PDB file of all heavy atoms in Angstrom:
ATOM      1  N   PRO A 523      25.778  -8.027   3.468  1.00 93.00           N
ATOM      2  CA  PRO A 523      25.393  -6.877   4.258  1.00 93.00           C
ATOM      3  C   PRO A 523      25.634  -5.517   3.559  1.00 93.00           C
ATOM      4  O   PRO A 523      25.143  -4.478   4.058  1.00 93.00           O
ATOM      5  CB  PRO A 523      26.290  -7.053   5.507  1.00 93.00           C
ATOM      6  CG  PRO A 523      27.343  -7.905   5.157  1.00 93.00           C
ATOM      7  CD  PRO A 523      26.933  -8.764   4.012  1.00 93.00           C
ATOM      8  N   ASP A 524      26.366  -5.531   2.453  1.00 90.00           N
ATOM      9  CA  ASP A 524      26.735  -4.256   1.788  1.00 90.00           C
ATOM     10  C   ASP A 524      26.008  -4.079   0.537  1.00 90.00           C
ATOM     11  O   ASP A 524      25.527  -5.038  -0.077  1.00 90.00           O
ATOM     12  CB  ASP A 524      28.235  -4.166   1.541  1.00 90.00           C
ATOM     13  CG  ASP A 524      29.005  -4.273   2.829  1.00 90.00           C
ATOM     14  OD1 ASP A 524      28.611  -3.596   3.760  1.00 90.00           O
ATOM     15  OD2 ASP A 524      29.924  -5.044   2.861  1.00 90.00           O
ATOM     16  N   LYS A 525      26.038  -2.842   0.026  1.00 87.00           N
ATOM     17  CA  LYS A 525      25.497  -2.546  -1.294  1.00 87.00           C
ATOM     18  C   LYS A 525      26.617  -3.006  -2.281  1.00 87.00           C
ATOM     19  O   LYS A 525      27.826  -2.688  -2.068  1.00 87.00           O
ATOM     20  CB  LYS A 525      25.296  -1.079  -1.473  1.00 87.00           C
ATOM     21  CG  LYS A 525      23.814  -0.693  -1.427  1.00 87.00           C
ATOM     22  CD  LYS A 525      23.668   0.772  -1.601  1.00 87.00           C
ATOM     23  CE  LYS A 525      23.887   1.454  -0.275  1.00 87.00           C
ATOM     24  NZ  LYS A 525      23.332   2.712  -0.114  1.00 87.00           N
ATOM     25  N   ASN A 526      26.262  -3.634  -3.423  1.00 73.00           N
ATOM     26  CA  ASN A 526      27.255  -3.843  -4.438  1.00 73.00           C
ATOM     27  C   ASN A 526      26.747  -3.292  -5.766  1.00 73.00           C
ATOM     28  O   ASN A 526      25.886  -2.449  -5.737  1.00 73.00           O
ATOM     29  CB  ASN A 526      27.635  -5.374  -4.499  1.00 73.00           C
ATOM     30  CG  ASN A 526      26.449  -6.151  -4.910  1.00 73.00           C
ATOM     31  OD1 ASN A 526      25.493  -5.693  -5.444  1.00 73.00           O
ATOM     32  ND2 ASN A 526      26.486  -7.465  -4.649  1.00 73.00           N
ATOM     33  N   ASP A 527      27.290  -3.741  -6.855  1.00 54.00           N
ATOM     34  CA  ASP A 527      26.853  -3.139  -8.081  1.00 54.00           C
ATOM     35  C   ASP A 527      25.662  -3.828  -8.731  1.00 54.00           C
ATOM     36  O   ASP A 527      25.396  -3.664  -9.835  1.00 54.00           O
ATOM     37  CB  ASP A 527      28.039  -3.091  -9.087  1.00 54.00           C
ATOM     38  CG  ASP A 527      28.620  -4.455  -9.297  1.00 54.00           C
ATOM     39  OD1 ASP A 527      28.177  -5.422  -8.703  1.00 54.00           O
ATOM     40  OD2 ASP A 527      29.561  -4.524 -10.049  1.00 54.00           O
ATOM     41  N   PHE A 528      24.936  -4.551  -7.914  1.00 54.00           N
ATOM     42  CA  PHE A 528      23.643  -5.177  -8.363  1.00 54.00           C
ATOM     43  C   PHE A 528      22.628  -4.042  -8.478  1.00 54.00           C
ATOM     44  O   PHE A 528      21.916  -3.763  -7.532  1.00 54.00           O
ATOM     45  CB  PHE A 528      23.244  -6.219  -7.310  1.00 54.00           C
ATOM     46  CG  PHE A 528      22.049  -6.982  -7.676  1.00 54.00           C
ATOM     47  CD1 PHE A 528      22.047  -8.295  -8.014  1.00 54.00           C
ATOM     48  CD2 PHE A 528      20.723  -6.379  -7.609  1.00 54.00           C
ATOM     49  CE1 PHE A 528      20.909  -9.042  -8.317  1.00 54.00           C
ATOM     50  CE2 PHE A 528      19.583  -7.085  -7.860  1.00 54.00           C
ATOM     51  CZ  PHE A 528      19.652  -8.459  -8.262  1.00 54.00           C
ATOM     52  N   LEU A 529      22.599  -3.360  -9.643  1.00 50.00           N
ATOM     53  CA  LEU A 529      21.749  -2.182  -9.674  1.00 50.00           C
ATOM     54  C   LEU A 529      20.393  -2.384 -10.387  1.00 50.00           C
ATOM     55  O   LEU A 529      19.545  -1.528 -10.324  1.00 50.00           O
ATOM     56  CB  LEU A 529      22.491  -1.042 -10.420  1.00 50.00           C
ATOM     57  CG  LEU A 529      23.415  -0.252  -9.511  1.00 50.00           C
ATOM     58  CD1 LEU A 529      24.217   0.716 -10.282  1.00 50.00           C
ATOM     59  CD2 LEU A 529      22.570   0.490  -8.441  1.00 50.00           C
ATOM     60  N   GLU A 530      20.203  -3.518 -10.870  1.00 53.00           N
ATOM     61  CA  GLU A 530      18.988  -3.810 -11.637  1.00 53.00           C
ATOM     62  C   GLU A 530      17.831  -3.947 -10.578  1.00 53.00           C
ATOM     63  O   GLU A 530      18.019  -4.569  -9.578  1.00 53.00           O
ATOM     64  CB  GLU A 530      19.065  -5.127 -12.410  1.00 53.00           C
ATOM     65  CG  GLU A 530      20.222  -5.139 -13.313  1.00 53.00           C
ATOM     66  CD  GLU A 530      19.761  -5.144 -14.744  1.00 53.00           C
ATOM     67  OE1 GLU A 530      18.896  -5.987 -15.078  1.00 53.00           O
ATOM     68  OE2 GLU A 530      20.246  -4.294 -15.535  1.00 53.00           O
ATOM     69  N   SER A 531      16.634  -3.497 -10.925  1.00 51.00           N
ATOM     70  CA  SER A 531      15.505  -3.812 -10.060  1.00 51.00           C
ATOM     71  C   SER A 531      15.012  -5.258 -10.439  1.00 51.00           C
ATOM     72  O   SER A 531      15.273  -5.712 -11.524  1.00 51.00           O
ATOM     73  CB  SER A 531      14.443  -2.813 -10.297  1.00 51.00           C
ATOM     74  OG  SER A 531      14.072  -2.709 -11.669  1.00 51.00           O
TER      75      SER A 531
END
Side-chain angles (χ1 to χ4, degrees):
D524 300 316
K525 256 180 276 200
N526 61 21
D527 54 0
F528 182 107
L529 274 173
E530 304 249 309
S531 54

